[in-house]
Amino acid sequence: MAIQVSTLARHPGVRTEEQISQLKHQWSVYQRENSLKTTAQRELIVDVFLRGSSADTHVSIDELLALVRARNARVGYATVYRTVKHLLDAGLAASRQFGDGQTRYEVAGSESRHHDHLICQKCRLILEFEEPEIERLQDTVATRLGGFKVMQHKLELYGLCPKEQGVSGGQCPGDDAQKPEPRVARR
Amino acid sequence: MAIQVSTLARHPGVRTEEQISQLKHQWSVYQRENSLKTTAQRELIVDVFLRGSSADTHVSIDELLALVRARNARVGYATVYRTVKHLLDAGLAASRQFGDGQTRYEVAGSESRHHDHLICQKCRLILEFEEPEIERLQDTVATRLGGFKVMQHKLELYGLCPKEQGVSGGQCPGDDAQKPEPRVARR
DNA sequence: CTAGATGCAAAAGTTTTGCAAAGCC
DNA sequence: GGCTTTGCAAAACTTTTGCATCTAG
């Protein structure tokens, strides 16, 4: 019996045009409020990030830069870092650390419902899921803590995906681990 | 009405001698299994880590080294990193990233019950709490995911501690942020 | 004696910053 | 024109590694 993984992940990367333009509107509001100028690089980075193809949910800065450079080679690291910082500030991006040493970013914003993550400890596959119950849990704890005001949470489940269970040397979606290329520009 | 924070934190640092020796036993088993030699430095690091005073739950490598050097100045970074790696491997330490850029470590092991964290976004105070409900939640998701085997979870709640709420420029336990000293030895 | 451990310094990897040049408004 | 942004390189910071030396077993 095949296990339907795809129904669990929130159709990553399948963002409708409508959602994209909603997110872009949120971005332009932020731009105006902070008197940010509109530059080709920044717009490109934002566009690439918000559209994120299904393979590129949870991008690292490196990956994002690579995607951006595919469309415009003359973009520097610093610009990506600075732009992502703006996206975080605008609430359009959220950062996550899954323990692989890199900070990863995913699309947030009013359009996206909150979700949590399940990470395969063997193959590093990352799945998303929604669990409304946890909001209730959060409130329970908040109440017990009395004075605390809980703003957000991060829940990560770590375990083994179907392909890894029992298989000692089995392969896995993320297992064909081509050593990450040395970063695009290193000194 | 004062809020009883202390009852929520699992009495951090108040580990009984019995617990300590239980942990040390676990360590010595690991040592034997992996033919690790007993050296003064390593024993010291392990001791300092496992005893961790109430202020020193969730230590960073830097903090741990500082504590260790207070007792023996001739210990290097590398040794601390290598020893902590052993502790992780032995299941006596667990690593956490709370978004302040440093990896932090806390005591794990059979003695300690699982717990989760609440982090004040303003003052970086870290509290621990237990919430049995979440194990059930974990199972719910595992069931829904069908083929997944969930091994562990991390739940982090981010919010504002009592002292920070409503106070725009208010101070906070962790707010007297003396800029972190430049690391102990830098080139 | 020998395998493992240490300390140092260098290297590696990620993120930030200073600055001159270029671009937006 | 003035203020923001960019790209580059250098700096800052965390973690790992190579190696000569030392030490527990």
Side-chain angles (χ1 to χ4, degrees):
Chain A
M1 153 202 138
I3 289 143
Q4 299 214 329
V5 161
S6 56
T7 59
L8 304 167
R10 296 176 41 262
H11 308 291
V14 189
R15 238 181 291 283
T16 65
E17 267 316 308
E18 189 187 2
Q19 288 175 316
I20 303 264
S21 84
Q22 206 269 309
L23 289 164
K24 292 222 174 166
H25 176 255
Q26 213 175 317
W27 169 247
S28 72
V29 168
Y30 175 83
Q31 256 184 317
R32 221 168 302 131
E33 283 174 349
N34 296 75
S35 43
L36 300 190
K37 293 183 175 173
T38 301
T39 71
Q41 291 91 326
R42 199 142 60 186
E43 295 307 296
L44 175 57
I45 294 167
V46 169
D47 186 71
V48 168
F49 177 71
L50 293 183
R51 302 196 112 87
S53 81
S54 56
D56 307 315
T57 338
H58 310 108
V59 284
S60 65
I61 294 289
D62 262 39
E63 292 163 358
L64 183 54
L65 178 63
L67 293 171
V68 165
R69 285 206 172 153
R71 290 220 248 154
N72 175 354
R74 297 195 42 70
V75 175
Y77 268 102
T79 306
V80 176
Y81 273 108
R82 289 188 273 231
T83 302
V84 167
K85 200 143 279 189
H86 280 306
L87 286 167
L88 287 169
D89 195 37
L92 285 164
S95 71
R96 303 274 170 178
Q97 317 230 184
F98 295 121
D100 64 344
Q102 301 211 326
T103 302
R104 299 186 164 276
Y105 302 87
E106 62 182 2
V107 177
S110 56
E111 162 267 340
S112 12
R113 274 168 303 173
H114 182 81
H115 60 266
D116 294 293
H117 297 93
L118 189 148
I119 299 103
C120 174
Q121 294 177 308
K122 191 97 180 289
C123 73
R124 291 271 139 205
L125 177 71
I126 301 170
L127 285 194
E128 302 180 344
F129 63 89
E130 290 177 31
E131 178 47 75
E133 188 76 20
I134 197 194
E135 319 292 340
R136 186 152 56 233
L137 201 78
Q138 182 174 307
D139 291 343
T140 305
V141 176
T143 304
R144 180 156 24 113
L145 295 180
F148 268 83
K149 183 171 187 175
V150 178
M151 310 291 283
Q152 57 155 309
H153 68 257
K154 290 185 185 176
L155 172 62
E156 288 150 31
L157 303 183
Y158 294 84
L160 296 178
C161 72
K163 301 198 176 174
E164 294 298 348
Q165 286 173 43
V167 191
S168 68
Q171 69 273 40
C172 210
D175 236 14
D176 28 289
Q178 59 281 22
K179 278 268 182 207
E181 294 293 322
R183 281 178 56 154
V184 181
R186 223 73 287 255
R187 42 205 135 106
Chain B
M1 152 200 139
I3 290 142
Q4 298 212 330
V5 160
S6 55
T7 59
L8 306 166
R10 295 177 42 261
H11 309 290
V14 189
R15 238 181 293 280
T16 66
E17 265 318 307
E18 189 187 0
Q19 289 174 316
I20 303 264
S21 83
Q22 205 269 308
L23 289 165
K24 292 223 174 164
H25 175 256
Q26 214 175 316
W27 169 247
S28 71
V29 168
Y30 175 84
Q31 257 185 316
R32 221 168 302 132
E33 283 174 348
N34 297 73
S35 43
L36 300 190
K37 294 181 173 174
T38 301
T39 71
Q41 292 92 324
R42 200 142 59 185
E43 296 307 296
L44 174 57
I45 294 167
V46 169
D47 186 70
V48 168
F49 176 72
L50 293 182
R51 302 196 112 86
S53 81
S54 56
D56 307 315
T57 339
H58 309 107
V59 284
S60 65
I61 295 288
D62 262 40
E63 291 162 359
L64 183 54
L65 177 64
L67 293 170
V68 165
R69 284 207 171 153
R71 289 220 247 156
N72 175 355
R74 298 195 42 70
V75 175
Y77 267 103
T79 305
V80 176
Y81 274 106
R82 289 188 271 232
T83 302
V84 167
K85 201 143 281 189
H86 280 305
L87 286 168
L88 287 169
D89 195 38
L92 285 163
S95 70
R96 304 273 170 177
Q97 316 228 185
F98 295 121
D100 64 343
Q102 303 210 327
T103 303
R104 298 185 164 276
Y105 303 88
E106 62 181 3
V107 177
S110 55
E111 160 267 341
S112 11
R113 273 168 305 172
H114 181 81
H115 60 267
D116 294 292
H117 297 92
L118 189 149
I119 301 103
C120 174
Q121 294 177 307
K122 190 99 182 284
C123 72
R124 293 271 139 204
L125 176 71
I126 300 170
L127 285 193
E128 301 179 345
F129 64 89
E130 290 176 31
E131 179 47 74
E133 188 76 21
I134 196 194
E135 320 291 340
R136 187 151 56 232
L137 200 77
Q138 183 174 306
D139 291 343
T140 305
V141 177
T143 303
R144 178 155 26 112
L145 295 180
F148 268 84
K149 184 169 187 177
V150 179
M151 310 292 283
Q152 58 156 308
H153 68 256
K154 288 185 185 176
L155 173 61
E156 288 151 29
L157 303 182
Y158 293 84
L160 296 177
C161 73
K163 300 196 178 176
E164 293 298 348
Q165 286 171 44
V167 192
S168 67
Q171 68 275 40
C172 209
D175 233 16
D176 29 288
Q178 59 283 20
K179 280 268 181 206
E181 294 293 322
R183 283 178 55 154
V184 181
R186 223 73 288 254
R187 37 202 138 109

